[in-house]
Amino acid sequence: MYVPADATVLITYGGGSAKKSGLIDKVKTVLGNRKVYEFGGIDPNPRYETLVKAVEIVRNENIDFLLAVGGGSVIDGTKFITLASCYKGDPRNLLKFGFMPIPFDVVNKVVPFGTVLTLPATGSEMNSGAVISYEHGKFPVMCELAFPKFSILDPIITFTLPKIQVANGIIDTFVHTTEQYITFPVDARVQDRIAEGILQTLIEIGKTTIAETENYDARANLVWSATMALNGIGGAGVPQDWATHMIGHELTALFGIDHGQTLAIVYPSLLEVRREQKRVKLLQYAKRVWHIESGSEEEKIDLAIRKTREFFESLGVKTRLSQYGIGTDKIPVIIEQLKAHGMTALSETQDLTLDIIQKILERAV
Ligand code: NZQ
Ligand code: ZN
């Protein structure tokens, strides 16, 4: 219904989970008589080299609709495929814009695409961003044209997820929310309460949805939390701090740690180091999300940060670099990569320099 009846469709998917579960066959049945091609093998943390192969198919077979069936990696990869298919130059140029939206004079049209979401985490199903891996880095790609035409969110499709991917998804959703909430106050009451609603939901359903894989209600609440956490609504007009994500991307690129796991390592330490800059919102977070009422301001902040770490750990995710075999000797390499990628003035106030990141990483060991 959402895909034009005369469309030539390319279904994109990942390493095979959607094939194995029978989802790809179901999608093909729904597509009926439309001409359908398939492109599988999009890697977790989708790699440029894989994606450009799909660009060839889009061009050679005159594909006029893309259908991403997968998690954030497949959806992000499909966003890149659609942008690169309509770009005449070297597609690597599209990795150079960072958080700046790709201007219309660089790409002014795309092949429309939809998504069938299989992993609640990134929010990619309702935003126009992607993160693409190339050589030793992960590069944000933003483009207003890269919004999905539709996304199908069926919690049942996510029942086949391994527990660790569910935990990763909860943490990713949590940190997307806090990176747009624990900054400094701007009297954005609706955005704050959206954030507090998502965080409390995650705390309520987190352990249950991991333990009870087929608990529909718990999973449905996770799916909607993940989508709402990064679709631009809670983040509209408020300061945003993507430092944990940028540091986390280097940990994935260097050591292959899953995206959600990198956030669980960086975020509690970042909060400890940045408690002064974030003081007012940390106190609000302590009160409204963790219901901490007693103690001095310092004690409340300490407890809120401790509860955050404990929540991540309660989901079975480690929060220390050393638990992944990474010691202080690796910190200079991480700092070097951040420098190489221009990540030298991060945070909601752009004053998170490499020497402060060094402190955060030292605490995270
Ligand atoms: O590849 P397949 O075989 O499908 O297996 C995947 C993959 O191994 C598996 N999986 C997905 N759905 C499944 C399933 N296994 C069983 N049943 C299902 N229903 O899960 C593994 C991880 O999948 P992936 O798509 O890599 O995970 P996620 O959704 O967490 O996406 C991570 C990527 O998204 C980027 C990250 O940087 C990373 O590259 N992000 C994208 C964002 C965005 N576009 O807005 C924001 C995020 O902050 C994030 O940076
Ligand atoms: Zn994320």
Side-chain angles (χ1 to χ4, degrees), residues 31-235:
L31 288 172
N33 292 328
R34 294 172 183 84
K35 195 166 184 191
V36 173
Y37 293 81
E38 288 181 32
F39 182 81
I42 296 181
D43 352 68
N45 308 299
R47 296 208 63 80
Y48 171 85
E49 294 81 355
T50 307
L51 303 172
V52 286
K53 291 181 194 153
V55 171
E56 289 304 306
I57 300 175
V58 172
R59 287 181 179 159
N60 294 341
E61 308 302 338
N62 295 319
I63 302 292
D64 47 25
F65 204 95
L66 295 166
L67 190 52
V69 182
S73 294
V74 172
I75 300 174
D76 283 12
T78 304
K79 289 176 182 174
F80 186 78
I81 294 166
T82 190
L83 289 167
S85 299
C86 298
Y87 176 66
K88 295 200 174 61
D90 183 339
R92 278 172 294 198
N93 293 337
L94 301 175
L95 304 177
K96 294 180 183 160
F97 292 91
F99 280 116
M100 199 180 96
I102 295 177
F104 289 125
D105 59 352
V106 176
V107 180
N108 58 21
K109 69 173 175 97
V110 293
V111 180
F113 71 99
T115 87
V116 179
L117 181 75
T118 65
L119 196 173
T122 62
S124 188
E125 65 278 9
M126 199 174 166
N127 69 38
S128 60
V131 183
I132 305 303
S133 297
Y134 179 63
E135 292 185 335
H136 298 298
K138 290 186 71 178
F139 299 89
V141 176
M142 305 290 172
C143 183
E144 303 252 319
L145 298 170
F147 274 103
K149 290 285 170 212
F150 64 85
S151 285
I152 294 174
L153 276 56
D154 178 355
I156 294 170
I157 294 176
T158 75
F159 287 174
T160 52
L161 278 166
K163 288 185 192 303
I164 185 63
Q165 293 300 343
V166 181
N168 286 345
I170 296 166
I171 291 170
D172 200 16
T173 304
F174 196 98
V175 178
H176 290 161
T177 308
T178 53
E179 290 207 300
Q180 301 168 89
Y181 167 64
I182 307 181
T183 55
F184 55 85
V186 290
D187 199 18
R189 298 178 193 218
V190 174
Q191 293 90 322
D192 277 2
R193 289 189 167 99
I194 290 173
E196 288 151 3
I198 294 172
L199 296 172
Q200 286 175 85
T201 302
L202 294 172
I203 292 163
E204 282 163 14
I205 55 95
K207 279 171 81 171
T208 309
T209 194
I210 292 175
E212 300 170 23
T213 302
E214 302 202 358
N215 179 329
Y216 182 94
D217 292 342
R219 189 59 57 85
N221 277 299
L222 172 59
V223 171
W224 194 232
S225 295
T227 302
M228 285 302 292
L230 198 54
N231 63 2
I233 293 175

